[in-house]
Amino acid sequence: MLVNRIKIARIEKNLTQKDLASKVNVTRQTIGLIEAGKYNPSLKLCIDIAKTLNKTLDELFWEREQ
């Protein structure tokens, strides 16, 4: 599932939602909503999250066929 990849990558970097939010200039609530699949981030925010977590956009956001 898409949202779990973001959460897992964040936890692997030992970042809280608040830490990640601060690094990408959004609120902690925004990160929580993205992880819960209730907010569709802009491309710029996706890129900022991927860079911060040292992942590619594909690794975090590409939905794989089941």
Side-chain angles (χ1 to χ4, degrees):
M1 181 177 211
L2 164 69
V3 295
N4 289 338
R5 287 183 272 166
I6 298 166
K7 183 174 182 178
I8 290 167
R10 175 179 58 77
I11 292 169
E12 286 174 348
K13 297 289 274 180
N14 294 315
L15 295 173
T16 64
Q17 287 182 345
K18 185 176 179 181
D19 294 336
L20 179 56
S22 176
K23 290 177 182 291
V24 297
N25 298 310
V26 297
T27 65
R28 185 210 51 81
Q29 289 84 353
T30 299
I31 298 300
L33 289 171
I34 292 168
E35 289 182 356
K38 296 181 179 178
Y39 180 79
N40 194 8
S42 68
L43 178 57
K44 181 190 180 319
L45 181 52
C46 291
I47 291 168
D48 290 345
I49 290 170
K51 284 182 178 179
T52 300
L53 297 175
N54 293 325
K55 299 285 185 182
T56 65
L57 289 174
D58 282 355
E59 288 172 320
L60 292 179
F61 297 101
W62 190 258
E63 296 201 33
R64 293 169 179 88
E65 304 231 356
Q66 299 295 327

